[in-house]
Amino acid sequence: MKELTKTEEMILLTIHRLEGKAYGVALKHKISELTGKNIAYGTLYFILDQLTAKEYVSRYKGEPTPERGGRRKYYYRLTIEGIDALKESQQMHKLIWDGIKNLSMEKGTGK
Amino acid sequence: MSFSKPPKIAELIIRILTRPGNRSLLLGDLEEDYRYYTSEKGLIYAKLWYWMQIVIPFHNFIKNQIYWSYYMFKNYFKSAYRNLFRNKTYGTISILSLAITIGCAISLFSLVHIFYKFDKGHENRQRIFMVGTVIETNSVSEKWGIAPAPLAPAIKADLSNIEDVVRITYQDGKMQNDDRVFYENICFVDNGFLDMFTYPLVSGGKAVLSEKDAVIITENIALKYFGNEDPIGRQLTITFDNGSKASFFVKGIAENMSILKTFGFEILLNYDNLDRTGIDHVNDWSKKPRATFLMLKDPTGARDIEAQLSRYINQQNDSDPDWMAKEFFLGPFEEIIYASSNIRNSITGAIASEAFIIFSAIGLILLILACINYINVALASATRRIKEIGIRKVFGSKKNQLCIQFLSENLLVCLIALLFGIILAQTVFFPAFQYIGELNIEENIFTTIDLWYMFPGILLLTSILSGLYPALFISSYNPVAIFRDKKIRIGKNLFTKMLLGFQFVVTSILITVTIVLRLNAEYQSNLDWKYEPDNLIVLPVNGEEHYSIFKNEIGKNPDIVSVSGGSSHIGSISSSERIEYRGEKYQVRRFDVGSNYLETMGIKLKEGRFFNEERSTDIDRSVLVNEEFVKFMKWDDPFNEYFRIGSIEYSVIGVVNDFHHNNFMEKIRPMVFRLTEENNFKFLVVKTREGRMIDSFEYLRDAWKRLLPQDPYEAFYQSQLFDQYLRNEKNVSKLFGLYALVALVISSLGLFGLISINVLKKIREIGIRKVLGASTFNIVRLVNKGYLRIMLTSSIPAGILSFYLASSLMKIIHVYHLTVTVYHVFFTFVIILLTTLITISTLVRRAALTNPAETLRYE
């Protein structure tokens, strides 16, 4: 299983946070709310397409709404594989960060 | 709360630039955001934001879409370019043959296009209609392009929706300014003529046409009568046909007539001047002007006007019972020139669209021949690129990508060919066509072409015709097959053979037609006219005063054998006459001649006797007829038959041998000869002694200048009467010669290409065979037996088709023509065979004489 990139991880976690209400606009806004970063729709959908292809997320149709000009929403949901991938990523973070408490110049740079 | 929609254009751009998969999703998201921003930060911010969504990622789009495709095509063109230059024969042959034919085709299409511009220079043409008459004889309706003279003013006075009605009549007259005097064709028109039709004036206004003493002349006429002096206000004296004389003042100068107008004028007078000629064009419904045109305010009302014209039918038929009209019709001016084949006697004449169809067809066929060269050469040389194709495929090129690659290579070839072709058309072919066809069109391929779409059209046509098949064929190879058994057979398939055969067939048809046309032109210029046009001088005269003065004078000259005259003349003027025999009417040609005329012209008597002036019955009761007349009337004994012309009954006193009155395109018609008085003579015919014709011509001119200084001397040689016609025949054959040459060159180039590639493919085989002791003859056979066989096989259909087409062409054009024989076709075959052998031998010689060490060194 390949490792997730940071953006992928971010998007997967945001989908999880939104609890079934994850679609384009909501995801974009939630990400910018959480991180202060602005993510373009192009980037967002490119990654979502990739995640869908890896079967980490699944997509299902919502109802058409007037504020979208009568277009459907597409909601994203994590799959088992997606959750496994996130768990693994979390595990990896733990392993990497384990024992590091005070991040200062001396240790890391070898002085 | 209602929201505004996002900007439409921006939405459209996004729609175009996004992939269909996520399109609606993205648009939905953007719209939702847009609404959010509208409510939070205002409409302007929202709109700006929406637009920015396009602007921000645009550089990515450029990079991905345009930049990379550019590189892709650049790469295609680069490999095309390299391929062309690596294999020079291949490139040169493809480009050269395409360039030659494109040049030829462009010139042909431009010429054809010029002829479709006839009469399009008249600004009001959509509102102009010709008034014509439908005549019914023996329950067959015929449209005639003429109408009674008084109809025009009647229409103008009675009907609405008429802007103007204009009549046009031509008449010969003698025009004089001091010592410059010539016979001229004078055009009489109604006041509105210059407003209705577009004939630009150099000086003077259109309004002067309404003045009865005004004359408008063209620049040519002004030069002829006044030289470099200013003609405006000068006086010209015109003597009309009936002898009446009047003076006119030049009040306008018109531009010289364009050949793109089917009718025009040199000297223009007001229509009222016709009363000077003694012809009643005001009340006499039996008088017909050359043409009557009307211009409508609203052209959609034409049918309505046409229906109303029926009220004048009785007036026409009462005064002209010989020409019973069924109805009048309106012919739209823009269409009559093309429909004129159905309208008799139309002023516009008819455009023979067949000739232009043939021209365009030849242009297309030549293009196809060149495309065949490309296809054959491309297929044959594909073996050399088979590994490239295999490797491209292995690396993931799809079939349609390879197709696009080959098509773009082909596009490059066609583009280069088109450029050369345009240069060739402008510098060689178009001037050549003009020269051969003796056309004086001050145009070139660029000015004649408002056909801007022609160049890209030809480019597209040639590249698709030539490129599609090779591209599909080559790109469909299976890479596994390419690398496993390196023997892919290309260029030997049936398709190539058929294309090659087709080239041979077309070439041989064109060559045969050329030969036949050329020989026919020779044949006709030596064809017996069945009378003696040699040593005959013909002098147009005006009645007895000229004739008798002159006849007495020249009778003294010992060089002159005989003198006669007539109001008709063989080869120039005769009338169509309706004779009545036992209650039936027949159409014949009538000649009114002097007593000695037939003898002077050298016409042979078959039976009976010639005219004798002394006998009083000869003058008003007797006629001579030709053999055809007797056949036509199915008479056993012509001397016992009587027929009527008008109210007078005639009997036949003699039958003459048939002779050609007109050119050889026309069948000899039944003719009747009547004796006429010297008073009516329009021609004086002089027979000179053998070899004294040119001297006599000089003598006649001097005598004329001395005796009749006031009248123009316009004599001509009878033998030169049909020179123009015979020259046209030669020109047509030259034109076809050019096509045939182009076709022959193209086919030879194609063959050359195919064989040279074949030689290259077999170069090692040839080397090995030579080492093992093969003779030169063996090798020659090895390389070209396939092609020679194709040629021989295709010569059978080629021969049959050439023979059939050439002889039917002859039959269509001429009545009296050369008979196409097997020899002509055989001659074609010899020409093609020789060309082919020369082509083959130059190549094979090289292959056969190469030292095998050269070719085998690298093995």
Side-chain angles (χ1 to χ4, degrees):
Chain A
M1 205 181 272
K2 271 189 177 175
E3 271 179 53
L4 292 169
T5 68
K6 227 168 189 168
T7 329
E8 279 173 341
E9 193 179 343
M10 185 167 76
I11 289 170
L12 285 176
L13 286 171
T14 318
I15 292 172
H16 181 63
R17 268 174 205 271
L18 285 167
E19 293 173 350
K21 295 273 182 280
Y23 72 101
V25 178
L27 271 168
K28 184 179 190 283
H29 286 214
K30 192 75 185 171
I31 288 169
S32 101
E33 183 192 316
L34 286 171
T35 64
K37 279 185 190 166
N38 218 339
I39 188 166
Y41 280 121
T43 321
L44 183 65
Y45 279 115
F46 179 70
I47 293 168
L48 281 173
D49 283 349
Q50 282 187 331
L51 289 173
T52 317
K54 285 178 189 166
E55 297 184 343
Y56 288 168
V57 296
S58 63
R59 199 169 89 161
Y60 61 97
K61 277 181 199 170
E63 288 307 303
T65 54
E67 60 266 23
R68 295 172 66 83
R71 295 182 189 91
R72 280 178 196 286
K73 281 176 186 170
Y74 278 85
Y75 290 108
Y76 290 87
R77 212 187 268 159
L78 295 185
T79 60
I80 307 288
E81 289 87 349
I83 290 165
D84 284 350
L86 276 176
K87 277 183 181 159
E88 197 169 307
S89 182
Q90 194 184 26
Q91 192 63 33
M92 186 71 85
H93 280 293
K94 270 188 188 148
L95 288 172
I96 302 167
W97 284 92
D98 192 36
I100 297 175
K101 280 168 189 143
N102 187 12
L103 210 58
S104 67
M105 289 294 280
E106 290 88 38
K107 279 186 187 168
T109 51
K111 283 191 181 167
Chain B
M1 192 169 155
S2 76
F3 283 100
S4 69
K5 290 290 236 174
K8 279 242 164 58
I9 301 169
E11 201 181 306
L12 189 72
I13 295 174
I14 294 174
R15 194 180 282 276
I16 291 167
L17 295 184
T18 48
R19 271 179 297 157
N22 285 335
R23 187 181 287 153
S24 81
L25 241 140
L26 190 66
L27 283 169
D29 284 350
L30 285 175
E31 189 163 340
E32 207 178 315
D33 265 355
Y34 173 79
R35 290 186 183 220
Y36 169 74
Y37 285 120
T38 319
S39 59
E40 291 289 306
K41 300 193 173 173
L43 192 65
I44 297 171
Y45 180 89
K47 281 200 169 154
L48 214 63
W49 174 84
Y50 200 95
W51 273 103
M52 286 310 280
Q53 301 307 306
I54 301 172
V55 177
I56 295 166
F58 201 71
H59 70 277
N60 271 328
F61 169 76
I62 291 185
K63 195 174 148 195
N64 291 334
Q65 297 295 315
I66 298 171
Y67 182 80
W68 289 117
S69 337
Y70 163 73
Y71 263 85
M72 198 66 196
F73 272 97
K74 201 178 150 190
N75 178 272
Y76 285 165
F77 279 126
K78 191 180 272 175
S79 71
Y81 171 83
R82 283 179 183 156
N83 196 44
L84 275 180
F85 278 81
R86 181 156 24 121
N87 196 343
K88 291 208 178 57
T89 333
Y90 163 79
T92 319
I93 286 169
S94 305
I95 291 176
L96 195 65
S97 52
L98 276 173
I100 291 173
T101 48
I102 286 177
C104 204
I106 286 176
S107 313
L108 280 170
F109 294 153
S110 311
L111 272 185
V112 171
H113 182 60
I114 287 175
F115 290 104
Y116 279 98
K117 277 165 68 171
F118 267 123
D119 280 343
K120 297 285 186 290
H122 295 293
E123 282 162 22
N124 296 324
R125 60 183 186 278
Q126 277 146 354
R127 292 195 289 146
I128 301 176
F129 294 83
M130 182 167 78
V131 186
T133 316
V134 181
I135 300 294
E136 202 175 54
T137 34
N138 308 332
S139 72
V140 179
S141 291
E142 263 185 335
K143 281 181 168 182
W144 285 70
I146 50 179
L151 184 64
I155 290 174
K156 208 171 168 181
D158 300 345
L159 305 183
S160 59
N161 187 19
I162 307 285
E163 182 146 331
D164 207 354
V165 188
V166 162
R167 290 165 292 179
I168 304 168
T169 291
Y170 295 96
Q171 219 182 61
D172 286 335
K174 190 171 73 186
M175 192 156 89
Q176 185 175 14
N177 169 41
D178 287 338
D179 59 335
R180 302 192 191 192
V181 48
F182 305 95
Y183 287 115
E184 300 289 357
N185 194 247
I186 294 156
C187 180
F188 300 79
V189 293
D190 281 311
N191 295 346
F193 178 74
L194 290 174
D195 292 313
M196 188 184 287
F197 297 103
T198 310
Y199 292 103
L201 295 182
V202 180
S203 63
K206 293 174 183 174
V208 299
L209 193 56
S210 55
E211 297 168 30
K212 205 178 169 184
D213 66 343
V215 57
I216 294 174
I217 56 178
T218 59
E219 290 171 292
N220 277 341
I221 295 289
L223 196 69
K224 187 169 165 189
Y225 285 86
F226 301 106
N228 292 324
E229 298 163 41
D230 180 19
I232 293 288
R234 297 284 297 270
Q235 193 175 341
L236 282 168
T237 309
I238 298 177
T239 312
F240 295 103
D241 212 23
N242 64 341
S244 71
K245 234 178 182 179
S247 289
F248 297 89
F249 295 95
V250 179
K251 292 191 179 168
I253 309 290
E255 280 178 17
N256 287 329
M257 293 299 123
S258 150
I259 71 154
L260 295 182
K261 286 182 174 140
T262 50
F263 61 92
F265 60 88
E266 293 295 328
I267 295 153
L268 204 58
L269 291 182
N270 186 291
Y271 205 79
D272 294 340
N273 283 303
L274 264 181
D275 57 19
R276 298 179 201 272
T277 68
I279 296 169
D280 181 6
H281 271 251
V282 183
N283 301 313
D284 189 348
W285 284 75
S286 70
K287 291 287 173 290
K288 308 284 188 291
R290 185 67 191 83
T292 307
F293 286 100
L294 51 84
M295 183 154 78
L296 301 183
K297 287 180 182 136
D298 171 20
T300 53
R303 291 281 149 262
D304 200 31
I305 300 281
E306 199 170 48
Q308 294 182 58
L309 290 180
S310 60
R311 67 168 87 164
Y312 303 110
I313 280 291
N314 287 340
Q315 272 170 290
Q316 140 71 27
N317 288 348
D318 288 347
S319 58
D320 198 0
D322 281 344
W323 207 65
M324 292 298 272
K326 194 172 146 214
E327 60 194 6
F328 294 115
F329 69 93
L330 294 185
F333 183 46
E334 283 195 293
E335 291 164 26
I336 47 177
I337 181 168
Y338 304 113
S340 282
S341 43
N342 301 326
I343 300 178
R344 286 190 66 174
N345 219 10
S346 162
I347 190 172
T348 57
I351 280 197
S353 35
E354 293 89 352
F356 304 118
I357 292 169
I358 290 178
F359 269 19
S360 313
I362 287 175
L364 273 179
I365 286 173
L366 291 180
L367 273 183
I368 290 172
L369 287 190
C371 290
I372 288 177
N373 275 1
Y374 184 91
I375 294 173
N376 279 345
V377 172
L379 286 181
S381 64
T383 6
R384 295 169 64 81
R385 302 186 63 183
I386 205 92
K387 278 189 187 136
E388 178 195 334
I389 296 154
I391 286 167
R392 276 181 191 271
K393 279 208 158 177
V394 167
F395 278 97
S397 271
K398 293 204 178 85
K399 189 184 165 186
N400 58 352
Q401 280 175 318
L402 277 172
C403 239
I404 289 172
Q405 188 201 335
F406 282 107
L407 280 176
S408 47
E409 275 184 25
N410 164 256
L411 195 69
L412 185 76
V413 171
C414 289
L415 196 67
I416 298 172
L418 180 69
L419 293 180
F420 279 120
I422 292 172
I423 295 170
L424 274 177
Q426 178 71 356
T427 56
V428 181
F429 286 111
F430 199 69
F433 286 158
Q434 286 229 35
Y435 175 74
I436 294 173
E438 293 179 30
L439 297 167
N440 265 321
I441 311 167
E442 286 177 6
E443 309 214 32
N444 59 44
I445 56 162
F446 295 107
T447 58
T448 58
I449 292 162
D450 32 330
L451 285 172
W452 56 269
Y453 48 84
M454 185 168 82
F455 295 142
I458 285 182
L459 185 65
L460 206 68
L461 183 78
T462 47
S463 56
I464 287 175
L465 263 181
S466 60
L468 201 60
Y469 181 75
L472 286 173
F473 191 79
I474 294 169
S475 61
S476 64
Y477 276 116
N478 181 358
V480 179
I482 292 175
F483 291 116
R484 194 172 48 200
D485 48 292
K486 300 171 180 175
K487 268 161 61 187
I488 302 283
R489 290 162 67 85
I490 313 175
K492 278 193 169 177
N493 56 9
L494 192 66
F495 188 63
T496 306
K497 282 180 185 167
M498 275 166 61
L499 290 180
L500 209 59
F502 177 74
Q503 277 189 329
F504 278 127
V505 172
V506 171
T507 311
S508 79
I509 290 172
L510 280 172
I511 293 178
T512 313
V513 169
T514 308
I515 292 172
V516 168
L517 281 174
R518 180 75 199 179
L519 290 179
N520 183 58
E522 288 298 325
Y523 170 80
Q524 289 189 335
S525 64
N526 294 323
L527 200 64
D528 190 0
W529 292 90
K530 309 275 180 64
Y531 66 94
E532 289 164 24
D534 294 334
N535 300 320
L536 271 177
I537 299 170
V538 185
L539 191 50
V541 294
N542 203 353
E544 193 180 7
E545 37 166 346
H546 283 174
Y547 181 74
S548 48
I549 296 173
F550 212 63
K551 190 184 174 182
N552 290 337
E553 169 66 25
I554 61 178
K556 301 169 199 158
N557 189 319
D559 286 341
I560 286 164
V561 180
S562 119
V563 181
S564 184
S567 57
S568 312
H569 178 61
I570 294 166
S572 314
I573 291 182
S574 62
S575 346
S576 182
E577 184 69 76
R578 206 178 272 192
I579 63 162
E580 204 180 316
Y581 172 68
R582 293 186 182 164
E584 295 282 325
K585 287 188 171 164
Y586 300 89
Q587 200 78 23
V588 299
R589 288 263 115 202
R590 190 193 80 217
F591 290 79
D592 290 336
V593 297
S595 61
N596 198 23
Y597 179 84
L598 295 171
E599 294 95 315
T600 308
M601 294 300 288
I603 291 165
K604 301 277 178 300
L605 192 66
K606 198 182 168 215
E607 295 171 80
R609 60 178 179 84
F610 283 122
F611 289 118
N612 185 349
E613 260 180 313
E614 326 268 274
R615 295 203 195 179
S616 63
T617 50
D618 274 15
I619 294 169
D620 51 12
R621 300 277 155 74
S622 309
V623 292
L624 272 89
V625 296
N626 66 350
E627 290 173 84
E628 179 61 32
F629 188 97
V630 179
K631 255 184 267 169
F632 179 65
M633 304 298 287
K634 301 190 182 74
W635 285 346
D636 294 326
D637 181 10
F639 301 103
N640 277 330
E641 306 282 357
Y642 297 88
F643 63 88
R644 301 169 81 88
I645 297 178
S647 57
I648 304 167
E649 189 157 77
Y650 288 90
S651 66
V652 177
I653 56 163
V655 178
V656 297
N657 282 347
D658 281 338
F659 61 89
H660 295 281
H661 156 58
N662 211 330
N663 60 38
F664 302 119
M665 287 174 161
E666 212 172 272
K667 203 169 155 39
I668 293 177
R669 292 202 255 171
M671 298 175 186
V672 48
F673 302 90
R674 263 191 341 189
L675 201 58
T676 188
E677 291 168 5
E678 293 185 355
N679 218 352
N680 302 325
F681 279 11
K682 292 268 181 263
F683 297 94
L684 183 143
V685 185
V686 175
K687 178 96 185 168
T688 70
R689 279 204 296 135
E690 186 69 41
R692 302 297 298 163
M693 184 167 72
I694 292 161
D695 294 314
S696 304
F697 192 85
E698 299 289 322
Y699 163 76
L700 285 172
R701 177 159 57 209
D702 293 341
W704 184 276
K705 290 276 174 218
R706 186 157 37 83
L707 296 167
L708 303 159
Q710 292 296 302
D711 293 311
Y713 177 77
E714 292 180 339
F716 56 89
Y717 299 120
Q718 179 75 16
S719 54
Q720 287 177 356
L721 202 57
F722 289 102
D723 274 8
Q724 186 58 45
Y725 159 74
L726 292 171
R727 205 158 72 228
N728 284 347
E729 292 297 298
K730 276 213 177 90
N731 289 342
V732 170
S733 76
K734 280 185 199 160
L735 211 57
F736 265 89
L738 193 62
Y739 305 147
L741 188 69
V742 168
L744 193 63
V745 167
I746 301 293
S747 311
S748 307
L749 274 177
L751 194 65
F752 185 88
L754 272 183
I755 296 176
S756 68
I757 289 162
N758 203 19
V759 168
L760 277 179
K761 267 194 270 184
K762 291 187 175 169
I763 198 84
R764 290 193 200 98
E765 184 184 341
I766 294 170
I768 292 166
R769 276 172 191 269
K770 281 187 80 165
V771 170
L772 296 179
S775 67
T776 313
F777 176 74
N778 255 325
I779 287 160
V780 171
R781 250 191 53 188
L782 169 75
V783 177
N784 68 40
K785 69 173 176 202
Y787 300 109
L788 219 53
R789 194 186 298 149
I790 294 168
M791 210 209 104
L792 290 171
T793 321
S794 65
S795 72
I796 297 164
I800 295 168
L801 269 173
S802 307
F803 183 83
Y804 177 75
L805 282 174
S807 44
S808 47
L809 187 74
M810 278 291 109
K811 264 178 218 146
I812 292 168
I813 307 176
H814 298 286
V815 178
Y816 304 96
H817 61 81
L818 182 81
T819 322
V820 182
T821 63
V822 180
Y823 295 112
H824 300 130
V825 179
F826 184 71
F827 192 45
T828 307
F829 179 70
V830 170
I831 290 178
I832 293 183
L833 189 67
L834 277 180
T835 328
T836 314
L837 285 178
I838 292 169
T839 313
I840 292 174
S841 62
T842 50
L843 276 166
V844 171
R845 217 179 94 86
R846 210 167 60 193
L849 295 183
T850 319
N851 185 352
E854 296 284 325
T855 53
L856 295 174
R857 185 188 293 171
Y858 304 103
E859 290 299 305

